[in-house]
Amino acid sequence: MIIGLNVPFTFIVGYVFAGVALMLPLAKNFRAGGFLAYAAASLLCLPLGGIANFYKHFPFIVFFGLYPVAASLQEKWKIGRWVAFPVKAVWFDGMLCATWALFSEMFALPFDWMRDWIWLILIVGGTAVFFLYEWMMYEAQKLVSLYVSKIDKSGGRRTKTNPQTPRDDVGDVFGGDFGADVPEEGADESAPGSNSENKESGGESRGNGEGGQ
């Protein structure tokens, strides 16, 4: 957004990419975090071009920065897209009209007749532009949520497949075989391979050996 404020003809790209960046906490349903990110971005942009180019920063504060949070709340409350679209379209058109009313003296229209029809142009043209913007940001939110979920799942798999289990010989300063024949307390001595079985088999082999001699 800072680049969009300071580089000519890039402020629209700044709105789009700033909105996509604000979707990252919303992908994990951190709506409070998304709002705090919007507030932080709005405040940080003020001394870095937002005051000097406030006519560019104003639409972000009023609409573009808040739109991802509003879309996330729409999903949470399960409001249909075509039910919410008229409300958000009026919000978008209102932002355009407010921006024009505040900063109209800074813009020169190519034709004089456009000043007589400027409000109709803003409402009709703004609704058409918002239809495309709504579709684009909806698809962007799905992609962001998809990649965030993949990163989260891959991290979980790494944790499960590579558990940090202690080695058997940790703390054994005499070597890995020291104390291997000592049974644990409460262990089943009748289990196959237990020390008692080994002792009995050893005793039998010694007995057989003595008898053979």
Side-chain angles (χ1 to χ4, degrees), residues 95-205:
M95 178 272 299
L96 292 178
C97 292
T99 303
W100 176 257
L102 292 173
F103 307 105
S104 58
E105 299 300 327
M106 302 178 60
F107 304 104
L109 296 175
F111 305 102
D112 293 337
W113 62 267
M114 294 181 68
R115 287 194 173 270
D116 299 331
W117 298 91
I118 187 61
W119 304 112
L120 182 62
I121 293 172
L122 289 175
I123 293 173
V124 176
T127 303
V129 170
F130 178 70
F131 182 83
L132 296 175
Y133 181 80
E134 168 91 348
W135 172 81
M136 180 176 63
M137 298 305 284
Y138 178 77
E139 295 296 326
Q141 181 66 76
K142 288 199 303 184
L143 286 176
V144 170
S145 300
L146 175 64
Y147 284 111
V148 168
S149 64
K150 285 185 176 181
I151 293 172
D152 187 34
K153 289 180 181 178
S154 63
R157 285 197 298 269
R158 285 196 298 271
T159 303
K160 292 178 181 179
T161 55
N162 297 310
Q164 296 181 355
T165 55
R167 293 175 51 193
D168 293 337
D169 57 347
V170 171
D172 184 9
V173 296
F174 297 98
D177 294 334
F178 181 80
D181 295 331
V182 179
E184 295 181 358
E185 183 178 356
D188 187 2
E189 295 184 354
S190 64
S194 63
N195 292 333
S196 59
E197 183 178 351
N198 293 333
K199 290 179 181 178
E200 292 176 2
S201 61
E204 292 177 1
S205 61

Side-chain angles (χ1 to χ4, degrees), residues 204-213:
E204 292 177 1
S205 61
R206 285 195 300 271
N208 293 332
E210 291 174 358
Q213 291 176 357

Side-chain angles (χ1 to χ4, degrees), residues 53-116:
N53 300 300
F54 191 69
Y55 69 95
K56 295 180 181 179
H57 194 36
F58 178 78
F60 177 81
I61 296 175
V62 176
F63 178 81
F64 291 100
L66 285 171
Y67 175 83
V69 180
S72 179
L73 291 174
Q74 173 190 342
E75 181 181 359
K76 176 184 178 181
W77 295 331
K78 301 186 186 313
I79 302 175
R81 293 178 63 187
W82 296 109
V83 175
F85 178 82
V87 178
K88 292 188 288 185
V90 171
W91 180 22
F92 182 79
D93 294 340
M95 178 272 299
L96 292 178
C97 292
T99 303
W100 176 257
L102 292 173
F103 307 105
S104 58
E105 299 300 327
M106 302 178 60
F107 304 104
L109 296 175
F111 305 102
D112 293 337
W113 62 267
M114 294 181 68
R115 287 194 173 270
D116 299 331

Side-chain angles (χ1 to χ4, degrees), residues 16-40:
V16 174
F17 280 94
V20 172
L22 292 175
M23 292 176 180
L24 290 172
L26 299 174
K28 299 295 292 181
N29 295 326
F30 297 151
R31 296 177 179 88
F35 180 80
L36 291 175
Y38 149 77

